[in-house]
Amino acid sequence: MEYKIGLIGCGTVGQGLLEILDRKSEHLRDAYDFEARLVAVSDKLKGSLLVPEGIDIRKLLGLLAEGKPISAYEDPKKPKYEVSDPLDMIEKTDADIIAELSYTDIKTGEPATGYIRKALRTGKHVVTSNKGPAALHYRDLADLARKNGLQFRIEGTVMSGTPVFHLCESGLAGNDIREVKGILNGTTNFILSKMEQDGMEYSDALALAQKLGYAEADPTADVEGFDALAKIVILSNVLLGGNVQTSEVQRTGISGISKIDVAAAKAAGFRYKLIARTVKRDGKIEASVSPQKLPLSDPLAGVMGAQNALTFDTDLMGKITIQGAGAGKIETGYSILSDMLAIHRCKKN
Ligand code: HSE
């Protein structure tokens, strides 16, 4: 079964997705009867392209690797059409699925939310790893999708392609999830790990996290807990059925924690972690982000470096902990593929 794909945002994650679609196309066709035809791409900085008969992904990746604009793409056999920006692309394409991978703005959710609304209003499924729209407007966007018989899927917004929503939707189906808590920001976990294991100063560890590409463009979002806050709001609203607003979440970051605090905790048999938590009590949901000293026996205490982890407390299965990547080009690119495959499974059934 073939799906026409429109891609918004062709940065790290967009290119990760394209690499996967190129590398695994035969496997996806043979094992899952899934074929992706890339018909449109629009990136605010790199340009736009609409080729209804299909874009040669390898050729496009080659252009991007050479730093050329997307508009430089040519295929003598397949006509290309002018598009000016993502909204124009959504209007003109007949894509089945829009992969929305533009930059994250946790404060406004724009311009991504506008793109998603337009895609859903024009009959296209949407898959995204963009935390802004999911944290601020999940209910609205999910309702709009439902009304139009479409899907709005967000696996990549929390823990990249590590299956959080897929796990709860299928593997843990039938459970009531009472609490979700974990490590949802790789940058801060990396900093705390480096301070403990290598005796690094906070500022040096942060500089290294930035150099390795873990941190957000503005690392305040990481160290002051805003990134983890957006993710715990998403989990509250999607997994616990809440309607939590970002302003309702108590938040403390890790900038006040020193190397001395980390060493003192270690000497007492504890380890600092930035813990995001959401719990349902008497129908009310409370969410928070704060540094906590965990006993070393807690599975979350053993999660080091830029890894993420989540513990789900369920009524039938008790506590289940998953650990995995929270970011990365291929890992987040995979989250988009996994959501496309979920749409495909739904369509087949
Ligand atoms: N800056 C984020 C982190 C990236 O450190 O986890 C993934 O959302």
Side-chain angles (χ1 to χ4, degrees):
M1 210 177 273
E2 187 187 75
Y3 295 83
K4 286 172 273 178
I5 310 293
L7 177 63
I8 299 176
C10 210
T12 309
V13 179
Q15 291 182 45
L17 171 68
L18 293 181
E19 265 182 54
I20 296 172
L21 291 177
D22 180 45
R23 198 194 314 159
K24 307 221 31 144
S25 63
E26 270 179 43
H27 174 67
L28 292 171
R29 188 194 55 222
D30 297 347
Y32 303 99
D33 182 26
F34 174 87
E35 288 183 77
R37 189 200 323 167
L38 182 70
V39 293
V41 183
S42 188
D43 181 289
K44 278 224 148 172
L45 299 174
K46 301 186 175 97
S48 302
L49 180 66
L50 175 64
V51 182
E53 288 177 54
I55 297 166
D56 181 329
I57 291 178
R58 205 168 292 174
K59 195 191 262 188
L60 177 63
L61 284 171
L63 275 181
L64 292 166
E66 290 169 20
K68 294 192 177 142
I70 290 171
S71 48
Y73 178 94
E74 293 290 348
D75 182 341
K77 293 194 204 94
K78 295 178 181 167
K80 71 173 187 182
Y81 299 88
E82 288 298 314
V83 274
S84 54
D85 60 20
L87 288 173
D88 190 37
M89 181 271 260
I90 297 167
E91 178 88 34
K92 289 179 178 160
T93 182
D94 65 345
D96 304 299
I97 303 174
I98 294 290
E100 200 295 313
L101 308 175
S102 68
Y103 63 90
T104 285
D105 182 329
I106 299 173
K107 289 199 183 102
T108 68
E110 296 297 348
T113 304
Y115 302 153
I116 294 170
R117 283 195 209 284
K118 176 143 192 174
L120 293 172
R121 287 191 183 121
T122 53
K124 297 152 180 103
H125 300 287
V126 175
V127 297
T128 187
S129 57
N130 198 319
K131 289 163 273 189
L136 299 171
H137 306 293
Y138 179 76
R139 279 279 185 90
D140 270 8
L141 296 171
D143 281 350
L144 180 60
R146 209 170 303 117
K147 274 186 208 138
N148 289 300
L150 296 163
Q151 295 202 37
F152 170 56
R153 303 196 65 97
I154 58 162
E155 183 62 70
T157 59
V158 181
M159 287 181 77
S160 66
T162 307
V164 172
F165 301 106
H166 282 108
L167 174 70
C168 294
E169 198 174 293
S170 40
L172 290 176
N175 278 278
D176 184 21
I177 300 175
R178 302 177 285 213
E179 181 192 49
V180 185
K181 75 170 192 179
I183 297 163
L184 293 178
N185 181 266
T187 301
T188 45
N189 205 51
F190 178 82
I191 293 171
L192 293 171
S193 299
K194 283 287 173 197
M195 282 163 71
E196 183 191 313
Q197 290 177 318
D198 302 340
M200 272 178 111
E201 294 296 340
Y202 169 85
S203 53
D204 294 336
L206 171 58
L208 185 55
Q210 287 178 286
K211 194 174 154 205
L212 292 170
Y214 303 141
E216 297 293 305
D218 174 3
T220 315
D222 298 293
V223 296
E224 297 303 348
F226 294 104
D227 176 68
L229 184 154
K231 291 166 179 167
I232 204 67
V233 167
I234 297 170
L235 295 176
S236 302
N237 295 345
V238 181
L239 300 183
L240 269 55
N243 193 14
V244 175
Q245 311 297 309
T246 50
S247 57
E248 295 165 4
V249 180
Q250 290 174 25
R251 174 196 51 81
T252 311
I254 64 156
S255 57
I257 295 180
S258 68
K259 212 169 78 175
I260 297 167
D261 298 328
V262 170
K266 189 183 178 188
F270 290 88
R271 184 170 277 151
Y272 268 107
K273 294 289 174 194
L274 183 67
I275 297 297
R277 178 172 184 251
T278 182
V279 59
K280 193 161 54 181
R281 232 181 260 119
D282 303 325
K284 275 191 78 181
I285 293 173
E286 276 172 35
S288 61
V289 175
S290 63
Q292 288 180 23
K293 278 190 281 185
L294 300 183
L296 295 179
S297 56
D298 189 314
L300 297 175
V303 179
M304 302 303 274
Q307 287 263 299
N308 284 193
L310 272 180
T311 299
F312 303 94
D313 187 9
T314 68
D315 59 342
L316 304 177
M317 283 300 297
K319 288 191 177 167
I320 292 184
T321 299
I322 57 165
Q323 175 180 348
K329 180 180 183 182
I330 294 299
E331 294 84 345
T332 313
Y334 170 68
S335 73
I336 302 300
L337 172 65
S338 72
D339 274 343
M340 288 179 181
L341 289 172
I343 291 170
H344 173 53
R345 279 195 298 277
C346 213
K347 199 158 181 200
K348 273 185 108 174
N349 292 338

